[in-house]
Amino acid sequence: METPVIWKRPDLRYPTPFDTIFFDIDGVLIRTIDSFLATDIATAEYVAGVMHGLGWGQGGGKHLLTHGDVIAFKQVGGYNNDWDMCYLLATLCTARLREWKGTPLATRSIEEWAALSRQANIEGHGGIEWVREVMPASAQLDYGVIGDIYHEFYWGAAELRKRLGRTPRYLPDFPGFVHNETMNFPPDFFRRLRAAGIPNLGIITGRVGPEVDIALEMMAVHVGEKWWNVVISANQAPKPDPRALQLAIAGVSNGVGGGLYIGDTGDDLDTVYNYRGIKQPDDPEILMAMLVYEHEVELYQQRGADFIVGAVTDVVGCLPGECDGH
């Protein structure tokens, strides 16, 4: 197994023992750029274009948002819940096309909006609270309607009936972006981690309910077994709530000496930071590995990540004795 670690914090000290790795699902274990990110964009486009009848050149094939726009807001924290992300994007796009049309706010870049959202998040009123504070009320659709549209794009008609027992209202024939999801790891990945001395493997995810179920089903089929010791979903504690990490640690029956969590968003990193802020002296130390795009490396170095990797399988290079400190 190759172990390329893009970067390791120079002054890093490993906890002893180092026996545990917790994984995020979306963007880490499962490739979701064509499912959740696609759902976020499609929901915003549906709200602006279909529900509000607004135009941005879509007839000529122009897209309202890009994957990079969604990632920019994932970096700042506060939008780990995809309903919240959809609410943000739908509201922002609607306001730019209608309420703010012809004003400087309509041309303010996504990067500028993301920076403002990040500052609000640092000050404790980020995420959807910030959206409701700074964006026109007339551009804000009912949160439940946003959630319904999101579900229909993500699940598709057949899975919506099967998993949620609902009949689609907005997209009666949509196949569902969930079917685009693929695994980011080979079937023997977790067996090889345990052979390398990591007995405890778990999951901390922003998914909820049936979204967790289908991910676990797909991973179990891919691997041939249920490889995880514990699963903590957003129903139990939504990231960046440090209880998510506390619950994961408590859920490992043979105890956690120390280890790391690997994620790919600002909320993942903040979960570890928040845990460190409340952990007691006897609580296990958890390091943070960030799986990022090349343009995000410097950002997460500055924010204090312990490791930067380019693929989930590179986490083996974060084990004691493996990383050469690139």
Side-chain angles (χ1 to χ4, degrees):
M1 185 186 290
E2 295 183 2
T3 61
V5 171
I6 295 173
W7 180 82
K8 171 189 170 185
R9 184 160 56 80
D11 59 346
L12 183 71
R13 290 189 176 185
Y14 284 95
T16 303
F18 189 100
D19 55 18
T20 302
I21 299 178
F22 297 120
F23 298 85
D24 178 35
I25 291 180
D26 299 319
V28 177
L29 291 173
I30 297 180
R31 186 179 188 274
T32 55
I33 193 168
D34 295 320
S35 60
F36 280 116
L37 265 67
T39 296
D40 295 339
I41 292 171
T43 299
E45 291 189 340
Y46 186 90
V47 169
V50 178
M51 302 198 76
H52 295 315
L54 301 171
W56 58 88
Q58 62 267 49
K62 184 178 180 181
H63 293 289
L64 185 61
L65 296 159
T66 68
H67 288 148
D69 295 335
V70 182
I71 291 167
F73 282 111
K74 286 286 187 182
Q75 289 173 353
V76 306
Y79 305 103
N80 199 63
N81 181 324
D82 278 277
W83 283 34
D84 292 353
M85 177 63 78
C86 290
Y87 191 89
L88 158 72
L89 297 176
T91 302
L92 177 58
C93 290
T94 297
R96 291 169 102 186
L97 292 168
R98 190 175 65 189
E99 283 81 356
W100 293 334
K101 186 176 181 179
T103 75
L105 291 176
T107 56
R108 179 181 282 171
S109 71
I110 290 294
E111 290 72 20
E112 290 175 292
W113 282 114
L116 292 169
S117 185
R118 174 62 181 170
Q119 185 58 41
N121 201 46
I122 292 171
E123 295 169 358
H125 58 96
I128 196 168
E129 181 182 349
W130 173 77
V131 176
R132 287 173 169 154
E133 285 176 356
V134 305
M135 297 188 189
S138 57
Q140 299 180 38
L141 199 63
D142 180 84
Y143 187 77
V145 173
I146 293 285
D148 288 343
I149 297 168
Y150 158 84
H151 274 311
E152 293 189 26
F153 271 116
Y154 178 71
W155 288 111
E159 289 290 342
L160 188 73
R161 293 187 180 94
K162 174 183 175 183
R163 302 277 176 175
L164 279 74
R166 297 183 191 172
T167 299
R169 175 182 176 184
Y170 302 98
L171 306 160
D173 301 311
F174 195 72
F177 287 122
V178 66
H179 301 295
N180 296 338
E181 294 182 349
T182 56
M183 301 299 108
N184 278 341
F185 56 88
D188 65 345
F189 176 54
F190 303 104
R191 178 180 60 79
R192 292 156 76 182
L193 280 176
R194 287 197 163 100
I198 307 297
N200 306 322
L201 301 171
I203 294 168
I204 303 173
T205 178
R207 290 190 180 218
V208 296
E211 295 172 4
V212 181
D213 297 339
I214 196 169
L216 298 181
E217 291 168 15
M218 289 190 296
M219 288 192 289
V221 168
H222 182 64
V223 173
E225 63 175 339
K226 296 180 179 180
W227 54 266
W228 51 87
N229 297 87
V230 61
V231 177
I232 303 300
S233 72
N235 297 104
Q236 297 162 278
K239 294 178 286 189
D241 188 334
R243 292 186 302 117
L245 197 45
Q246 289 178 315
L247 290 170
I249 292 167
V252 177
S253 59
N254 58 332
V256 173
L260 67 79
Y261 174 51
I262 177 169
D264 67 333
T265 70
D267 282 325
D268 290 320
L269 185 60
D270 289 344
T271 300
V272 175
Y273 280 162
N274 293 340
Y275 167 77
R276 291 173 181 173
I278 65 169
K279 95 176 193 68
Q280 300 300 305
D282 292 337
D283 292 337
E285 181 182 351
I286 303 296
L287 303 178
M288 186 68 212
M290 291 299 300
L291 193 167
V292 303
Y293 294 98
E294 186 175 350
H295 71 275
E296 298 178 295
V297 170
E298 185 176 354
L299 170 69
Y300 286 112
Q301 286 175 331
Q302 293 172 351
R303 287 198 192 167
D306 297 304
F307 301 96
I308 305 288
V309 299
V312 67
T313 50
D314 299 343
V315 76
V316 71
C318 302
L319 306 183
E322 294 288 345
C323 183
D324 60 11
H326 295 331

